[in-house]
Amino acid sequence: MQSSWRRLIFFLIIILLLGGAFGLGVEFGFNNRPAVSRLTELINKEEQKPAALDFAPFWDTWEVIDSKFVDTTASSSTSTVAATDDEDKVWGAISGLVSSLGDPYSVFLPPLESENFGEEINGNFGGVGIEIGVRDNILTVVAPLAGTPAQRAGIQPADKIIAVDGTYTGDLTINEAINLIRGEVGTAVVLTISRAGEDGSLNFELIRATIDIPTIESEMLPQGIFVIRLFNFGSNSPELFRDALRQFTEADTDKLILDLRGNPGGLLDASVDMASWFLPAGKEVVTEARGRDEEPRVYRSRGYDVFTDKLKMVILVDGGSASASEILAGALADHGIATLVGEETFGKGSVQELVSITDETSLKITVGRWLTPRGVSLSHQGLVPEAIIEIEEEGEGDQEELGDPFVEKAVEILLEQD
């Protein structure tokens, strides 16, 4: 039994070292080939095994654990062996291998985490409604989702999550933190937050709810300016965006504000489709640079291109605009279609693939980075708007009286173009 487990661990590690993934980007999919079949393939292809790697220290450590480790949490005085079974050790070994990359977005997902990630991709899940990333090696709020417990409680983009129910997050992966934040609908979770400009930490008690991610809103401002607010890039976003653009064209105005503030992104294909309404066929939307001697993959406009050069457009962004939001905003700004107004965006410009390792586990691994048409790396920094909005620290009532300085600046820019 022990030798068979050793073979399994060895070949799982081989799988991770060799790759074996297929294209996904911000899109997703699973390789459903049975794990046994994949292991057999590798066993029969000796030439594919990595050369000059000494696994002796790994097996020496395994044997020391088996022979010497005492479980100090055991409730029985006669129970001294480790509670962790061999399968959990395998998952732990793979997790350690992935964490050695030093990339917060590359994560091995054991069975429970893999199931939870699938629920998140489907767009309906239990939790508090925040998109989480990593900035300066600290778990950071990208944006609270509209209409969720997190937004209602006052969680803000760029808040640092220091602890979840008292558990320090510095020792957790993103997925481990997400698993702590999620739970049964109706139960409470306490997030300890560090916020710029605040002395000490802030505690937010949030009641978990079923999260249905909102998509889009639109309205006409009194100044004759049409506003589309896009909250995410999901599978139904392109169709809803098309409908909003139809309303814009019927509104007898040539002035458009696209509000991407607090939009943490989503599917690459959705951002390409939306950009295609404004760009001629073949124009670059974004480039995926993969390295490892692979040719860059360029995603181009599908050429819907229904607007003339009379279109006047502003895109609103802030620190909660990330991923697909940055792709769309960067493409339209680089091609001179829109003016960016707001704050520097989050800077989430890496590409992940989701690879099935076994039937119940998966690996989310970074395989590339996004570049705007002008070559700006979105993983290196966020987009810097042409018009920067500085938000002064004000009380809640004062802020309501001040109105929305982002929209006010966008209106000013659009009216000046008449």
Side-chain angles (χ1 to χ4, degrees):
M1 173 64 73
Q2 188 179 61
S3 62
S4 64
W5 268 110
R6 286 189 176 188
R7 286 195 298 272
L8 175 59
I9 296 167
F10 178 81
F11 288 114
L12 282 171
I13 292 172
I14 296 299
I15 290 172
L16 290 172
L17 291 171
L18 291 174
F22 62 91
L24 186 78
V26 201
E27 299 168 342
F28 57 93
F30 285 91
N31 180 352
N32 286 316
R33 296 168 58 200
V36 172
S37 173
R38 298 174 68 194
L39 293 176
T40 302
E41 250 183 53
L42 288 170
I43 291 171
N44 293 333
K45 294 184 178 181
E46 295 289 334
E47 71 277 3
Q48 290 188 4
K49 297 177 183 178
L53 289 178
D54 182 9
F55 283 92
F58 177 87
W59 292 120
D60 289 343
T61 302
W62 183 285
E63 290 176 359
V64 169
I65 290 172
D66 276 351
S67 63
K68 295 184 178 295
F69 178 69
V70 174
D71 183 7
T72 59
T73 64
S75 58
S76 169
S77 59
T78 59
S79 178
T80 59
V81 297
T84 305
D85 62 25
D86 284 344
E87 185 176 65
D88 289 334
K89 292 176 190 174
V90 173
W91 306 150
I94 298 174
S95 296
L97 175 62
V98 178
S99 67
S100 71
L101 300 174
D103 173 32
Y105 298 106
S106 292
V107 183
F108 174 70
L109 304 175
L112 177 60
E113 288 85 346
S114 186
E115 179 182 354
N116 288 342
F117 185 79
E119 292 176 0
E120 180 179 355
I121 286 294
N122 290 331
N124 185 305
F125 51 88
V128 299
I130 49 177
E131 180 77 13
I132 298 174
V134 172
R135 177 176 286 167
D136 299 326
N137 296 318
I138 302 174
L139 197 67
T140 302
V141 174
V142 177
L145 303 179
T148 62
Q151 186 194 51
R152 291 191 293 268
I155 300 293
Q156 299 178 8
D159 280 350
K160 309 295 184 184
I161 303 177
I162 306 302
V164 179
D165 281 337
T167 300
Y168 175 59
T169 60
D171 300 326
L172 304 178
T173 66
I174 291 178
N175 289 85
E176 288 170 340
I178 289 172
N179 288 333
L180 286 181
I181 294 171
R182 288 180 177 170
E184 186 178 348
V185 171
T187 60
V189 60
V190 177
L191 303 186
T192 302
I193 297 291
S194 173
R195 178 177 294 168
E198 297 283 350
D199 294 330
S201 59
L202 306 172
N203 286 322
F204 291 84
E205 183 175 6
L206 309 176
I207 304 301
R208 298 179 176 100
T210 298
I211 306 300
D212 294 302
I213 302 176
T215 301
I216 203 164
E217 292 177 354
S218 61
E219 68 169 323
M220 176 69 83
L221 298 181
Q223 300 90 337
I225 297 172
F226 197 82
V227 180
I228 298 175
R229 297 184 181 91
L230 186 66
F231 300 112
N232 75 87
F233 289 78
S235 57
N236 65 338
S237 297
E239 180 179 355
L240 296 175
F241 188 68
R242 179 196 63 198
D243 292 341
L245 288 179
R246 182 182 296 115
Q247 296 174 35
F248 167 58
T249 60
E250 295 171 351
D252 193 27
T253 179
D254 58 1
K255 301 176 183 65
L256 175 64
I257 295 175
L258 175 58
D259 191 347
L260 297 179
R261 289 177 294 174
N263 185 325
L267 300 179
L268 166 66
D269 188 69
S271 64
V272 173
D273 191 89
M274 292 178 195
S276 298
W277 290 105
F278 305 94
L279 298 173
K283 285 289 187 181
E284 179 183 344
V285 175
V286 70
T287 294
E288 179 185 335
R290 290 208 166 204
R292 296 182 180 273
D293 299 323
E294 291 188 43
E295 287 295 320
R297 185 179 302 173
V298 181
Y299 294 86
R300 300 186 182 277
S301 168
R302 293 157 189 171
Y304 309 149
D305 193 26
V306 297
F307 298 103
T308 69
D309 57 7
K310 293 182 179 180
L311 174 69
K312 303 172 182 67
M313 184 176 183
V314 167
I315 299 178
L316 301 182
V317 294
D318 64 7
S321 307
S323 185
S325 286
E326 294 172 298
I327 289 173
L328 178 58
L332 297 187
D334 280 7
H335 286 296
I337 303 298
T339 300
L340 300 190
V341 171
E343 303 169 330
E344 182 175 335
T345 60
F346 187 83
K348 170 62 172 69
S350 57
V351 188
Q352 280 75 44
E353 287 183 1
L354 190 63
V355 184
S356 176
I357 299 301
T358 70
D359 289 342
E360 296 182 329
T361 66
S362 52
L363 174 66
K364 182 160 69 77
I365 186 166
T366 297
V367 296
R369 56 195 175 97
W370 298 122
L371 303 176
T372 72
R374 290 186 179 177
V376 176
S377 174
L378 296 176
S379 60
H380 180 67
Q381 65 178 36
L383 298 172
V384 179
E386 182 177 328
I388 300 290
I389 304 298
E390 299 287 348
I391 301 296
E392 297 182 4
E393 296 294 329
E394 300 283 353
E396 185 175 342
D398 294 331
Q399 190 63 52
E400 290 179 359
E401 292 178 8
L402 288 171
D404 189 334
F406 290 76
V407 173
E408 290 174 0
K409 184 62 177 179
V411 169
E412 176 188 326
I413 290 172
L414 291 171
L415 294 179
E416 287 177 349
Q417 295 177 10
D418 278 337

